[in-house]
């Protein structure tokens, strides 16, 4: 069982930055064969992929990111990060950490396991 805990959410003005962290603990935690991802969710909407990362620095991002966010992972610390710059009010929502795997061989595709953090809220004001 893997336990995921997000941190780093908060309130910022449009154009500002935040850095989210997700720490994994539990049996096995995160191996180099695993990938991790950030999802976000708006009220009455399904979660959508923000960014995912796997070993070797393979990443994939949601189309709306457009170069504003950078995802990274430190397997030695079982921790994933999301650096978010140029935040917009439409980025407001709850951001969740997830454990999964990355399909490679072309455009990377992230497949999530059913391991989720409790979420961290981001509020971007105009």
């Amino acid at each position: 069982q893997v336990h995921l805990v997000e941190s780093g959410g908060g309130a910022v003005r449009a154009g500002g930055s935040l850095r989210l962290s997700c720490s994994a603990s539990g049996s096995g935690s995160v191996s180099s064969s695993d990938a991790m991802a950030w999802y976000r969710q708006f009220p009455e909407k399904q979660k959508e992929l923000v960014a995912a990362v796997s070993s070797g620095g393979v990443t994939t991002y949601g189309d709306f990111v457009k170069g504003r966010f950078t995802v990274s992972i430190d397997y030695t610390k079982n921790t994933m990060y999301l650096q978010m710059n140029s935040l917009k009010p439409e980025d407001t929502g709850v951001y969740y950490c997830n454990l999964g795997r990355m399909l490679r061989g072309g455009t990377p595709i992230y497949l999530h396991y059913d391991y989720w953090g409790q979420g961290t809220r981001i509020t971007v004001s105009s």
Side-chain angles (χ1 to χ4, degrees):
Q1 187 73 15
V2 177
H3 185 55
L4 303 174
V5 178
E6 303 96 336
S7 60
V12 295
R13 290 188 179 275
S17 298
L18 283 173
R19 189 190 193 211
L20 304 184
S21 297
C22 172
S23 296
S25 61
S27 60
S29 289
V30 181
S31 75
S32 59
S33 62
D34 293 321
M36 296 185 75
W38 292 98
Y39 284 74
R40 67 184 188 183
Q41 188 171 30
F42 306 125
E44 301 182 6
K45 298 287 187 180
Q46 289 188 332
K47 292 184 179 73
E48 63 177 0
L49 180 69
V50 176
V53 60
S54 66
S55 61
V58 177
T59 59
T60 187
Y61 294 91
D63 290 341
F64 56 86
V65 171
K66 298 187 185 302
R68 299 182 296 132
F69 301 169
T70 302
V71 64
S72 60
I73 189 168
D74 186 339
Y75 285 99
T76 65
K77 297 181 179 179
N78 290 320
T79 301
M80 174 181 61
Y81 306 95
L82 183 67
Q83 178 66 43
M84 302 188 294
N85 300 325
S86 303
L87 283 162
K88 304 175 182 179
E90 51 263 44
D91 293 318
T92 295
V94 180
Y95 285 66
Y96 296 90
C97 174
N98 177 263
L99 180 69
R101 63 190 180 102
M102 192 83 83
L103 300 181
R104 310 188 191 191
T107 301
I109 298 174
Y110 181 78
L111 299 180
H112 70 268
Y113 300 148
D114 196 20
Y115 291 111
W116 297 94
Q118 82 289 349
T120 186
R121 180 172 296 278
I122 293 171
T123 302
V124 185
S125 59
S126 57

